[in-house]
Amino acid sequence: MTVELICVGTELLLGNIVNTNAAYLAEKCAGLGLSCYYQTVVGDNAERLGEVLRTAAGRSDVVILSGGLGPTEDDLTKETAAGIMGRELVEDPGSRAHIQAYFASRNAEPTENNWKQALMPRGGIVLPNPNGTAPGVIIAEGATHVVLLPGPPHELKPMFENHVIPYLKNLEPGVISSQTVKVCGVGESRVETMLQDLIDGQDNPTLATYARPGEVHIRVTARAEGEKEARRLIKPVVKEIKARMGGDIYTTDEEVTLEKAVVELLVANKLTVTCAESCTGGMLSARLINVPGVSEVYKSGYVTYSNKAKRKLLGVKKSTLEKYGAVSPQTAEEMAKGLASVSKGDVAVGVTGLAGPDGGTEKKPVGLVYIACNVKGEVTVREYHFSGNRQTIREATVSAALTLMRNCILEYFSEITFGKKK
Amino acid sequence: MTVELICVGTELLLGNIVNTNAAYLAEKCAGLGLSCYYQTVVGDNAERLGEVLRTAAGRSDVVILSGGLGPTEDDLTKETAAGIMGRELVEDPGSRAHIQAYFASRNAEPTENNWKQALMPRGGIVLPNPNGTAPGVIIAEGATHVVLLPGPPHELKPMFENHVIPYLKNLEPGVISSQTVKVCGVGESRVETMLQDLIDGQDNPTLATYARPGEVHIRVTARAEGEKEARRLIKPVVKEIKARMGGDIYTTDEEVTLEKAVVELLVANKLTVTCAESCTGGMLSARLINVPGVSEVYKSGYVTYSNKAKRKLLGVKKSTLEKYGAVSPQTAEEMAKGLASVSKGDVAVGVTGLAGPDGGTEKKPVGLVYIACNVKGEVTVREYHFSGNRQTIREATVSAALTLMRNCILEYFSEITFGKKK
């Protein structure tokens, strides 16, 4: 079954707001196993909205419209949809009573145009709106289902979850289920090359890759009669991806971010962590600290932006800074070593690099970054070359640091396992 | 002249990502005086993309497509657009050389499919991409202009600004010019109320407000025959906004961010700055350090996430933490005072708060934040209540800290000017 989204609003066409409703509705519909091939944004204009709705109803089974249900003259989604579906608007007593009660509870008087919101297309299924004055409505005509929802996300989301999802689930038997495999430190085209035959050769489940900064997410999606059957289809494909991508996979849990995976690894191994950042200026610590419960492993960190701070707070040698420069493997290494000694962190990460836009030379171009990761005295230093602007270079650096931390911790403990360390 | 946006990508149809490109492009096009009546999202599917592009090219003067220029087989925006516009794809030597250099600078080898990105529709205007491997292209046919841009925002934005804006400006006589007035620490509905008569009553220039985290941007846009005439129309309106919004305006320069305004204020007053962050965990330092040239004023900072770090690194008293808690005005004040003494920064900012999701109580709910700003010994402490998730609470906290820093610095120096301080 196919679904199509139409978001109505001039503020979207002007770019005043980001269309989060479309992302929300699209994700929910994908989770219901509906195929969405089109999303459209159109203004509060009867002619253009009518044209878009007619096209959508002609090619998709379900059309979900959001916005344009307000009380003003500009709001004409309901009028337009009713016209196209050949339904006259009649007053819905329940909606009228709700509007009355809504204003009474706020000690306010509805204005004349508020009553417009109680008019409903004849035969439509009215969707109550406890969070506002605009009810939603579903108009079904043959095999076509047109769903009208209010625009404000805090009204749209509960209405969709409480009324539209049960309605849509009833339309079709079967479920759709998916699992995400997340990989770090490998580019998207490399992942695709490694999985090309699976991507091309699979129909159910399907495979899709999604590039994220410093990461690639691989989603495996199956359709089946029941959840159990869907899981059974997904399992061998995930197993095959694991066999090919191995240690680059940091999670198979949709909810786990790279920073969360690193924090979980720290917690599991009872390791504390600390960061000393130059070019990233606190971004690495900030990303770790976005994980709830990080307080168990993260105690303190430093932003050592100046050379003086690197010397004074971390004990980087003046001679090192003079001989090799602040952006050098030697400085990164001394940052990570000094940091471990001043902070007593088990894992100590030093980051130094040139984020630009100025300060680059032929030998040390903008985008050159060194990251040192010190796990209980074992220091690994890596060189990176990133491109982009100051902000994107810094974001890429943070992802690389998280990947390096993960790899160094895993290596440290795997060596222990294999008896290479006392 | 009309413009229409087509964003290509299965990840948009599945709701995996929010369509920020559409908001960005729509806002920029509105700023250029182009009328946008439709935005469409479609997947990486030649037939459906072709259908959408044909419809768009038939009703709009300019069609901007984003996404689907990657190296994989899925990416077929360029192939589809070239087919519809009747152009064959030929290798562009400049693009090929760029891809070669891009991988060489990363000590990596391009895979076979990377070379696909060097193929360009014959007669197209190639738009170089210094931030990735996918060049953009403009195909003009009669009065229709089809613009193809890469999907990643850090590639799309600079390409649009450096190449597409000048191209679009050339298409129409006359100019459209705009100026942005940026306000911090005041909500959007308050700004709208204060400017309602100007927003409603103006035709040329027009006024529009854009809500940003912790900020509101007011854009004044004029159409005129020449730049000089447009500026003449804008000037009195900006003057009137300044008269009404006064000190809440931090800049009238589109390029100046709030952090940049704060850094400029620090540089102008020869003040160094340092931050000690708990719940924000480095985000405030990171945002300041995103300003090129910040090294003049920012030397070092601390992430003091644990109570022990607050005591050890900043000298916050154990009794204060025990009596008032880590999230209290007293702790924030001691953080800012201790920080000034250990770091010798002229402006020292302490941030402590409850970002959640856990740890909230009735007396101290999630979202409660204290920020202390110490300007040369004068300490101001403010209490804030933010809502949202962990990440949005932390982002709001950083914006509030920057606003407080700005206000405290301005107040400190205005008092000096008026002889209130020795």
Side-chain angles (χ1 to χ4, degrees):
Chain A
M1 208 163 59
T2 57
V3 66
E4 181 159 350
L5 309 179
I6 301 173
C7 299
V8 185
T10 307
E11 65 279 22
L12 291 168
L13 291 178
L14 289 173
N16 292 4
I17 57 170
V18 176
N19 196 353
T20 55
N21 280 346
Y24 166 83
L25 292 169
E27 190 177 339
K28 290 287 173 190
C29 288
L32 291 167
L34 299 171
S35 301
C36 178
Y37 296 129
Y38 307 93
Q39 298 170 0
T40 310
V41 173
V42 66
D44 302 286
N45 172 286
E47 193 189 323
R48 288 188 287 267
L49 172 56
E51 169 205 331
V52 166
L53 177 54
R54 240 176 260 116
T55 303
R59 66 188 174 191
S60 299
D61 303 313
V62 179
V63 182
I64 301 176
L65 295 99
S66 65
L69 299 185
T72 74
E73 275 177 40
D74 278 358
D75 296 297
L76 33 78
T77 301
K78 198 168 54 187
E79 292 72 7
T80 306
I84 284 174
M85 307 290 285
R87 307 287 178 101
E88 127 199 64
L89 289 172
V90 290
E91 189 169 87
D92 172 53
S95 298
R96 190 180 170 94
H98 170 67
I99 292 167
Q100 195 123 41
Y102 186 91
F103 279 94
S105 74
R106 281 161 182 71
N107 290 317
E109 277 293 315
T111 57
E112 200 42 55
N113 51 18
N114 283 116
W115 300 120
K116 193 185 112 174
Q117 298 184 297
L119 295 174
M120 285 291 149
R122 192 184 290 283
I125 302 166
V126 177
L127 312 175
N129 181 359
N131 304 304
T133 55
V137 63
I138 299 175
I139 315 170
E141 190 71 54
T144 306
H145 307 263
V146 176
V147 181
L148 275 57
L149 301 173
H154 73 278
E155 300 180 23
L156 175 140
K157 289 180 184 182
M159 190 181 287
F160 190 79
E161 262 148 68
N162 297 328
H163 302 288
V164 184
I165 288 179
Y167 180 87
L168 295 176
K169 275 192 171 166
N170 247 335
L171 293 180
E172 223 184 12
V175 299
I176 186 140
S177 191
S178 68
Q179 184 165 10
T180 302
V181 180
K182 299 184 181 180
V183 166
C184 60
V186 189
E188 190 188 17
S189 54
R190 174 140 204 91
V191 171
E192 289 205 341
T193 306
M194 289 173 77
L195 303 177
Q196 200 63 58
D197 59 315
L198 296 178
I199 295 170
D200 292 344
Q202 303 268 352
D203 184 17
N204 188 25
T206 56
L207 255 79
T209 61
Y210 300 92
R212 297 281 180 272
E215 305 180 35
V216 180
H217 298 182
I218 307 150
R219 182 166 294 168
V220 184
T221 307
R223 293 162 187 272
E225 274 186 30
E227 184 65 30
K228 207 173 151 188
E229 171 67 5
R231 291 278 140 210
R232 199 188 60 74
L233 290 166
I234 289 169
K235 208 175 163 184
V237 179
V238 169
K239 197 177 162 190
E240 180 61 29
I241 297 170
K242 280 183 177 171
R244 296 189 191 188
M245 306 297 307
D248 294 324
I249 297 170
Y250 72 83
T251 190
T252 54
D253 182 343
E254 178 63 47
E255 302 302 313
V256 174
T257 58
L258 180 54
E259 57 269 30
K260 193 172 180 204
V262 171
V263 169
E264 284 176 353
L265 200 58
L266 292 163
V267 171
N269 290 293
K270 297 196 186 351
L271 300 169
T272 58
V273 62
T274 176
C275 311
E277 304 179 60
S278 189
C279 63
T280 47
M283 288 170 80
L284 176 58
S285 285
R287 218 170 130 185
L288 287 168
I289 291 175
N290 202 34
V291 180
V294 71
S295 58
E296 216 177 306
V297 294
Y298 188 106
K299 309 296 174 186
S300 63
Y302 297 85
V303 179
T304 51
Y305 198 60
S306 68
N307 281 357
K308 198 176 159 190
K310 291 181 187 75
R311 280 163 43 207
K312 212 181 108 184
L313 298 175
L314 307 173
V316 174
K317 288 201 285 288
K318 197 176 175 185
S319 60
T320 304
L321 291 164
E322 280 171 359
K323 190 166 172 191
Y324 303 105
V327 180
S328 65
Q330 292 83 0
T331 296
E333 183 168 353
E334 287 190 22
M335 286 171 75
K337 284 184 173 168
L339 176 62
S341 108
V342 296
S343 75
K344 314 280 179 251
D346 299 316
V347 179
V349 186
V351 180
T352 181
L354 271 163
D358 305 317
T361 61
E362 208 177 316
K363 251 187 104 180
K364 293 192 176 178
V366 167
L368 176 67
V369 170
Y370 292 95
I371 307 176
C373 182
N374 181 349
V375 182
K376 296 193 170 196
E378 291 232 331
V379 186
T380 308
V381 186
R382 286 268 181 283
E383 178 179 310
Y384 302 85
H385 295 266
F386 298 116
S387 60
N389 62 27
R390 188 171 172 90
Q391 181 67 10
T392 53
I393 288 171
R394 294 165 80 224
E395 281 169 5
T397 301
V398 172
S399 294
L402 291 168
T403 300
L404 182 64
M405 287 163 76
R406 178 178 173 274
N407 292 344
C408 288
I409 297 167
L410 288 175
E411 205 175 298
Y412 183 87
F413 284 97
S414 79
E415 283 181 15
I416 280 183
T417 307
F418 293 114
K420 284 186 198 153
K421 259 199 223 90
K422 61 231 110 206
Chain B
M1 209 163 59
T2 57
V3 66
E4 182 160 350
L5 309 180
I6 301 174
C7 299
V8 185
T10 308
E11 65 276 25
L12 291 166
L13 291 178
L14 289 173
N16 292 3
I17 56 168
V18 176
N19 196 352
T20 55
N21 279 346
Y24 166 84
L25 291 170
E27 185 179 339
K28 289 289 173 187
C29 287
L32 290 166
L34 299 170
S35 301
C36 177
Y37 296 128
Y38 307 93
Q39 297 170 2
T40 310
V41 174
V42 67
D44 302 285
N45 172 288
E47 192 189 324
R48 289 188 287 268
L49 172 56
E51 169 205 332
V52 166
L53 176 54
R54 242 176 258 115
T55 304
R59 67 189 174 192
S60 299
D61 303 312
V62 178
V63 183
I64 301 176
L65 295 100
S66 66
L69 299 185
T72 75
E73 277 178 38
D74 277 359
D75 296 297
L76 34 77
T77 301
K78 198 168 54 186
E79 292 71 7
T80 307
I84 285 175
M85 306 291 283
R87 306 288 177 101
E88 135 199 55
L89 288 173
V90 290
E91 188 169 89
D92 174 51
S95 298
R96 190 179 171 97
H98 170 67
I99 292 167
Q100 192 124 41
Y102 185 91
F103 279 93
S105 75
R106 279 160 183 72
N107 290 319
E109 276 294 314
T111 56
E112 201 41 56
N113 52 17
N114 282 117
W115 299 120
K116 196 185 110 172
Q117 297 185 299
L119 296 174
M120 285 292 148
R122 195 183 287 283
I125 302 166
V126 177
L127 312 175
N129 182 358
N131 304 304
T133 55
V137 63
I138 300 175
I139 316 169
E141 192 71 55
T144 306
H145 308 263
V146 176
V147 181
L148 273 59
L149 301 173
H154 74 278
E155 300 180 23
L156 176 140
K157 289 180 184 181
M159 191 182 286
F160 191 80
E161 262 149 66
N162 297 327
H163 301 289
V164 184
I165 289 180
Y167 180 87
L168 295 175
K169 276 191 170 168
N170 246 337
L171 293 179
E172 234 183 2
V175 298
I176 186 134
S177 191
S178 68
Q179 184 164 11
T180 302
V181 180
K182 299 184 181 179
V183 167
C184 61
V186 190
E188 191 186 18
S189 57
R190 175 143 195 86
V191 171
E192 284 199 347
T193 307
M194 289 173 77
L195 304 177
Q196 200 63 59
D197 58 315
L198 295 178
I199 295 169
D200 292 344
Q202 302 268 353
D203 184 19
N204 189 23
T206 56
L207 254 77
T209 61
Y210 297 88
R212 297 281 179 270
E215 307 180 34
V216 180
H217 298 181
I218 307 150
R219 182 163 299 164
V220 185
T221 306
R223 293 162 187 269
E225 276 186 29
E227 186 63 33
K228 206 173 153 187
E229 171 66 5
R231 291 278 139 210
R232 199 188 60 74
L233 291 166
I234 289 169
K235 206 176 165 185
V237 180
V238 170
K239 197 177 163 189
E240 180 60 28
I241 296 170
K242 281 184 177 172
R244 296 190 191 187
M245 305 299 306
D248 294 324
I249 297 170
Y250 72 82
T251 190
T252 54
D253 182 343
E254 178 65 44
E255 301 302 313
V256 174
T257 58
L258 181 52
E259 58 269 30
K260 192 170 183 204
V262 170
V263 169
E264 284 176 353
L265 201 57
L266 292 163
V267 171
N269 290 294
K270 297 195 189 349
L271 299 169
T272 57
V273 63
T274 176
C275 310
E277 303 178 60
S278 189
C279 62
T280 47
M283 288 170 80
L284 177 57
S285 285
R287 219 171 127 183
L288 287 168
I289 290 176
N290 202 32
V291 180
V294 71
S295 58
E296 215 177 308
V297 293
Y298 188 104
K299 311 295 176 187
S300 64
Y302 297 85
V303 178
T304 52
Y305 198 59
S306 69
N307 281 357
K308 198 175 159 192
K310 291 182 187 73
R311 280 162 45 208
K312 211 181 109 184
L313 298 176
L314 307 172
V316 174
K317 286 201 286 285
K318 199 176 175 187
S319 59
T320 304
L321 289 164
E322 280 170 1
K323 191 167 173 190
Y324 304 106
V327 180
S328 65
Q330 292 83 359
T331 296
E333 183 168 354
E334 288 191 21
M335 285 172 75
K337 282 184 174 168
L339 176 62
S341 109
V342 295
S343 75
K344 313 280 179 253
D346 299 317
V347 178
V349 186
V351 180
T352 182
L354 271 162
D358 305 317
T361 63
E362 208 177 316
K363 253 186 101 179
K364 293 191 178 179
V366 167
L368 176 66
V369 171
Y370 293 95
I371 306 174
C373 183
N374 181 350
V375 182
K376 294 192 171 196
E378 293 232 329
V379 186
T380 308
V381 186
R382 286 268 181 285
E383 178 179 311
Y384 302 86
H385 295 264
F386 298 116
S387 59
N389 62 26
R390 188 171 172 89
Q391 182 65 11
T392 54
I393 288 171
R394 295 165 79 223
E395 281 169 4
T397 302
V398 172
S399 294
L402 291 169
T403 300
L404 183 64
M405 287 162 77
R406 178 179 174 272
N407 292 344
C408 288
I409 297 167
L410 287 174
E411 204 176 299
Y412 183 88
F413 284 98
S414 78
E415 282 180 15
I416 280 184
T417 309
F418 293 112
K420 282 185 201 158
K421 259 201 223 86
K422 63 229 115 206

